Amino acid sequence: MSLGTPTSTRISLAHAQLQGCDLCEHRCGANRLAGERGPCKAGPDARVFRHRVECGEEAELVPSHLFYLSGCDLRCAFCIAEANAFDPARGRLLTRDFFSAAVAWGRTQGARNVQWVGGEPTIHIPAILAAMEDLPDLPPIVWKSDFYGTPVAFDLLHEVVAVYVADFKFGNDDCASRIARVPDYVRIVTRNLQRVARESELMIRHLLLPGHFECCFRPIVAWLQQELPLVKFSLRDGYLPRWQASRLPELSVPLPRGEGLRARQYAIERGLNVLD
Amino acid sequence: MFSTEFGQHVTGDDLTNNQLTDDETAMTEISFLPDGRICLFGASREIIELLWTLNLGDRALLARHLSIQAAATQSVAIQSAATRVDAMEQNAMEQNAMEQNAMEQNESQVPT
């Protein structure tokens, strides 16, 4: 599943985005090199607020070396990364030297791949590609994303990323707007899922949210059943009411006991390819 | 330049150094819910193996345990292959050195 390292041409194209950013669907057009900032607040640099080899991801990915980048284009009230996710000034500067040394360390820990997570890595594509440029023996790249990126962003990642892990969070635009403060969510995410499913290996992840079985989980299952029934579907039932979840009553509590099993059964009965 | 409705943005401290990355490379966050469920974030190999010894009967845990075992086997295999290659290279270098010495000795015995 290993693919090519980014070429200098691709890195130049990505860098051009910093002068008029259209990497995410906010399409703010900010000139990040000139100090302008869009909704994600990110400048030209990317920062890593944590990196470690984890074994709690989907079985086929672990052990996975996760690089957590600060800054995000969404504002999910329940974000488990909390303030780190939303302040792109946090963490250490992502450079080629740092990344190279970190990857070498991860390899000694048995990591099978490098996984870019956030926050949201899409807003940092220019810095990420630059950090990976010409790196020898680059492990397979896993891209864990909210899938709110533009087609341009996915063009830049094409044939660089081996496996996409998509967080399909909400089954309707009202919940997306209320919880993550993001417009036109379902159309954009489903468009990107369709495209990536055609071009690459894709895994769709859904974190079950308390009180959102009918409005979010069921519509997501229905869409997958109709459009991408064979895609790997990872159901996560470890929701914790963290960050600003308390401002939304239904998100202020853990997932009811048994909900995970119920959801899993529901998805399996509808023929989805549910991962363990 | 842009008005944003996000409003919840946290400015944060000026953490442009390593303060947040001191050493989280082996850190796992574990939450125990009131009903006894355990939630993990950033589960390390050690934690997965520890949970495995508790025999929780969780299919997902089984899958992860098997996966990291497979990775460990692969890692050992790669390491032993690398060791073999190193040994072969060392032998080859020693052989070359011996041949070189022999040639030099022969050359020095050529009558002038």
Side-chain angles (χ1 to χ4, degrees), chain A residues 50 55 59 87 181 255 276, chain B residues 6 11 24 37 43 59 67:
Chain A
R50 176 192 298 136
C55 296
D87 184 353
R181 304 186 179 198
L255 196 71
D276 274 329
Chain B
F6 287 150
T11 306
E24 295 194 5
R37 281 176 291 168
R59 281 182 62 192
S67 191

Side-chain angles (χ1 to χ4, degrees), chain A residues 60-232:
Chain A
E60 60 194 75
L61 297 178
V62 301
S64 183
H65 191 175
L66 279 76
F67 287 81
Y68 291 81
L69 298 164
S70 55
C72 190
D73 51 346
L74 269 57
R75 287 294 180 272
C76 300
F78 55 84
C79 183
I80 199 161
E82 302 180 306
N84 283 335
F86 303 119
D87 184 353
R90 294 196 172 210
R92 76 173 71 179
L93 190 65
L94 174 64
T95 63
R96 196 175 176 283
D97 286 347
F98 159 70
F99 180 65
S100 174
V103 168
W105 170 82
R107 193 175 279 120
T108 68
Q109 304 301 303
R112 289 174 162 171
N113 51 60
V114 160
Q115 186 171 171
W116 293 105
V117 302
E120 172 56 42
T122 300
I123 61 173
H124 295 303
I125 286 175
I128 291 171
L129 295 184
M132 298 195 300
E133 184 181 17
D134 293 334
L135 202 68
D137 301 325
L138 186 67
I141 300 301
V142 180
W143 193 262
K144 190 266 186 183
S145 168
D146 59 26
F147 265 51
Y148 199 68
T150 57
V152 167
F154 285 96
D155 287 345
L156 291 168
L157 298 172
H158 185 56
E159 294 185 341
V160 171
V161 171
V163 180
Y164 290 85
V165 179
D167 255 336
F168 199 167
K169 297 167 189 277
F170 310 107
N172 68 85
D173 287 345
D174 288 343
C175 289
S177 175
R178 191 170 68 95
I179 298 171
R181 304 186 179 198
V182 68
D184 204 12
Y185 176 84
V186 173
R187 182 188 66 79
I188 289 164
V189 171
T190 53
R191 176 200 69 196
N192 290 336
L193 290 173
Q194 295 269 27
R195 169 182 172 168
V196 169
R198 283 194 302 271
E199 297 177 348
S200 305
E201 192 172 339
L202 170 66
M203 185 182 293
I204 297 178
R205 188 184 280 175
H206 176 66
L207 174 66
L208 291 161
L209 298 174
H212 287 262
F213 193 93
E214 299 298 325
C215 57
C216 289
F217 173 68
R218 284 179 65 147
I220 286 173
V221 169
W223 185 83
L224 290 175
Q225 187 181 13
Q226 186 167 339
E227 302 294 334
L228 299 173
L230 300 179
V231 78
K232 293 168 185 169

Side-chain angles (χ1 to χ4, degrees), chain A residues 55 59-60 62-63 112 276, chain B residues 45 48-49 52 59-73:
Chain A
C55 296
E60 60 194 75
V62 301
R112 289 174 162 171
D276 274 329
Chain B
R45 175 192 300 273
I48 296 287
E49 288 174 349
W52 176 248
R59 281 182 62 192
L61 179 62
L62 169 64
R64 281 161 188 76
H65 188 254
L66 292 175
S67 191
I68 60 175
Q69 275 188 321
T73 308

Side-chain angles (χ1 to χ4, degrees), chain B:
Chain B
M1 169 179 182
F2 300 97
S3 65
T4 169
E5 293 180 353
F6 287 150
Q8 300 297 329
H9 177 76
V10 174
T11 306
D13 305 323
D14 182 23
L15 295 173
T16 52
N17 52 25
N18 294 346
Q19 290 176 41
L20 287 171
T21 52
D22 275 347
D23 187 10
E24 295 194 5
T25 51
M27 187 186 290
T28 296
E29 295 175 43
I30 306 178
S31 299
F32 295 90
L33 301 189
D35 59 10
R37 281 176 291 168
I38 302 172
C39 292
L40 302 177
F41 179 61
S44 65
R45 175 192 300 273
E46 290 78 6
I47 293 294
I48 296 287
E49 288 174 349
L50 176 65
L51 291 174
W52 176 248
T53 63
L54 299 177
N55 196 21
L56 298 178
D58 181 331
R59 281 182 62 192
L61 179 62
L62 169 64
R64 281 161 188 76
H65 188 254
L66 292 175
S67 191
I68 60 175
Q69 275 188 321
T73 308
Q74 192 181 29
S75 178
V76 168
I78 290 168
Q79 194 131 23
S80 55
T83 307
R84 281 199 305 275
V85 170
D86 286 348
M88 285 163 64
E89 282 179 355
Q90 184 68 27
N91 286 342
M93 283 169 62
E94 286 171 3
Q95 185 73 27
N96 284 344
M98 284 168 62
E99 286 172 3
Q100 186 69 30
N101 282 342
M103 280 173 62
E104 284 170 4
Q105 251 178 349
N106 286 341
E107 282 169 6
S108 66
Q109 288 168 3
V110 174
T112 54

